[in-house]
Amino acid sequence: MKILVTGCAGFIGSHLCERLLEENYEVVGIDNFDDFYSRDLKERNIKSFRNNTSFELHEFDLLNQDKLNELEAIDVVIHLAAKAGVRPSIVRPSVYIDSNIKSTQNVLDFLVKQNITKYVFASSSSIYGNKSKIPFTEEDECNYPISPYAYTKKACEMMNYTYHYLHQIDTVNLRFFTVFGPRQRPDLAIHKFVSKIKNNQPIEMYGNGKSARDYTFISDTIEGICLSLDYLLKNKNVFENFNIGNHYPITLEKLIQSIYSELKSTPNVVIKDMNKAEVDITYADISKARKLLGYQPRVEFEEGIRKFISWHEKYI
Ligand SMILES: NC(=O)c1ccc[n+]([C@@H]2O[C@H](COP(=O)([O-])OP(=O)(O)OC[C@H]3O[C@@H](n4cnc5c(N)ncnc54)[C@H](O)[C@@H]3O)[C@@H](O)[C@H]2O)c1
């Protein structure tokens, strides 16, 4: 079975390719090595499997439909490539329209052209917006995204439905909740904080520290993707949204405290205004994923932080 992974050199994509290769799938990876963060980090992400004979790397932008159409004999597409990050999406929304919405349109047209009927899409907890009802369930209305990044993900989920309806593409939209662990993107809080503390720089806390995120360790996210792949392969006429979170929100002040304590360093925190596009809390109800996929997150927050720090010490 041949699986196409878009965004294969990124944080989640590189872990996923490793896991799929371990499970003896053939993997075709696409990545344009965009400048959202350094190419060196992405090259390092794929180092362990780049020369694996079951892996093929294609470097191009998904906006290039002709290049995409050259790929053949793909059984499943796992579409992770996107511009991530909430705050930069406010500054350059049109880039997010291209990288997220137009690229997904191209992937959907590719599925139809090649008669591929199994499709996993990386969505995001950010589509829930600022909700007073927690935890978030897949049935919750999410029509009020508060950042361009969030509306691109919501738009893609809707496009995916249209293609499922018109072309019988079995689809799962996986709503990831702040993923962390080795290779985490350098723009994300945990990575940024650890780097700054190790360079004896102050860290910035946005708001009063009470905002919270449902941090999910990378191996649990990857398990969620693999379980949804099994589900897609075993079932027909599928269109499902799943929360792939941890069901355990951690406040920003607790996150900061844990990192300082793990690094045995004295807190040096500068308080800044909370950004309007950042939600107050993310909190996943994972009962649907547990029931239909058998998903159960295993890595606790503190253990995940220790694993991240030991990776950071070795590689950054
Ligand atoms: N990391 C998280 O906490 C998180 C949370 C929710 C959703 N997600 C989603 O999961 C997916 C993967 O996120 P990540 O954290 O691994 O991000 P990442 O930036 O590390 O990986 C994305 C990869 O896609 C590539 N890419 C971007 N646009 C492309 C294009 N047009 N053509 C080809 N390649 C392109 C980039 O070069 C990058 O290597 C994204 O869709 C993201 O929105 C991530």
Side-chain angles (χ1 to χ4, degrees):
M1 173 139 322
K2 206 186 246 190
I3 302 189
L4 173 64
V5 177
T6 72
C8 65
F11 165 40
I12 300 174
S14 61
H15 283 278
L16 178 66
C17 290
E18 260 171 6
R19 168 76 181 264
L20 295 173
L21 290 164
E22 270 164 35
E23 293 193 10
N24 296 320
Y25 287 106
E26 280 183 67
V27 179
V28 176
I30 300 177
D31 207 295
N32 67 348
F33 294 82
D34 73 8
D35 60 2
F36 190 57
Y37 60 93
S38 103
R39 183 176 182 116
D40 283 356
L41 287 176
K42 293 181 187 177
E43 293 282 0
R44 227 185 289 168
N45 288 348
I46 61 171
K47 203 169 165 210
S48 70
F49 58 88
R50 191 184 187 129
N51 296 323
N52 185 315
T53 50
S54 299
F55 179 72
E56 241 177 66
L57 175 66
H58 295 265
E59 181 174 343
F60 65 84
D61 195 307
L62 287 169
L63 291 173
N64 188 337
Q65 182 88 63
D66 293 340
K67 275 279 190 198
L68 189 55
N69 285 340
E70 283 171 14
L71 302 176
E72 283 177 340
I74 305 287
D75 299 295
V76 182
V77 172
I78 304 183
H79 176 35
L80 304 175
K83 279 261 189 282
V86 166
R87 270 177 253 154
S89 78
I90 308 165
V91 186
R92 298 201 301 166
S94 60
V95 172
Y96 281 68
I97 303 271
D98 287 347
S99 272
N100 301 3
I101 299 182
K102 285 192 187 159
S103 293
T104 299
Q105 179 66 63
N106 284 355
V107 169
L108 289 166
D109 288 335
F110 168 74
L111 294 172
V112 175
K113 187 162 188 294
Q114 306 268 350
N115 213 10
I116 301 165
T117 58
K118 303 285 174 186
Y119 171 57
V120 179
F121 172 73
S123 187
S124 163
S125 60
S126 62
I127 69 164
Y128 287 108
N130 249 339
K131 293 178 79 71
S132 50
K133 177 196 152 290
I134 49 170
F136 307 158
T137 69
E138 291 84 348
E139 289 71 37
D140 291 349
E141 194 189 61
C142 33
N143 291 328
Y144 302 99
I146 63 168
S147 69
Y149 170 68
Y151 70 59
T152 63
K153 289 292 177 181
K154 172 72 182 174
C156 291
E157 284 196 2
M158 293 168 77
M159 289 154 63
N160 293 345
Y161 177 75
T162 307
Y163 273 64
H164 159 76
Y165 171 76
L166 292 175
H167 304 286
Q168 295 78 49
I169 296 168
D170 292 327
T171 302
V172 293
N173 294 316
L174 299 180
R175 296 172 178 170
F176 299 143
F177 284 67
T178 320
V179 188
F180 76 112
R183 302 183 194 154
Q184 191 195 33
R185 297 199 325 260
D187 61 300
L188 289 172
I190 297 176
H191 194 143
K192 226 165 44 185
F193 290 168
V194 172
S195 297
K196 288 207 161 174
I197 295 168
K198 291 179 89 180
N199 287 327
N200 295 318
Q201 290 170 333
I203 65 169
E204 290 172 347
M205 181 172 88
Y206 290 91
N208 61 5
K210 304 292 177 211
S211 63
R213 294 289 176 271
D214 196 353
Y215 293 102
T216 313
F217 194 69
I218 181 69
S219 55
D220 289 325
T221 306
I222 297 299
E223 184 65 17
I225 300 174
C226 290
L227 289 166
S228 68
L229 173 62
D230 293 346
Y231 181 82
L232 268 184
L233 296 177
K234 282 188 197 130
N235 292 284
K236 284 204 165 118
N237 196 21
V238 176
F239 183 86
E240 298 287 355
N241 302 319
F242 288 109
N243 287 341
I244 300 297
N246 194 34
H247 191 60
Y248 195 76
I250 300 283
T251 62
L252 182 55
E253 65 187 355
K254 161 89 174 129
L255 170 75
I256 291 173
Q257 204 180 49
S258 302
I259 293 176
Y260 272 112
S261 131
E262 207 51 54
L263 290 172
K264 297 186 180 43
S265 193
T266 312
N268 182 4
V269 179
V270 177
I271 297 173
K272 296 255 168 142
D273 287 342
M274 178 111 170
N275 191 299
K276 231 184 147 192
E278 294 282 2
V279 298
D280 298 330
I281 182 167
T282 63
Y283 186 177
D285 181 323
I286 53 171
S287 45
K288 180 179 175 189
R290 197 181 273 140
K291 187 167 164 217
L292 294 190
L293 305 178
Y295 170 72
Q296 178 59 50
R298 303 201 184 279
V299 181
E300 285 182 6
F301 172 70
E302 279 79 9
E303 184 190 345
I305 289 290
R306 281 194 291 277
K307 287 185 170 175
F308 175 76
I309 290 174
S310 75
W311 169 81
H312 192 278
E313 264 157 17
K314 229 167 157 180
Y315 294 101
I316 301 293

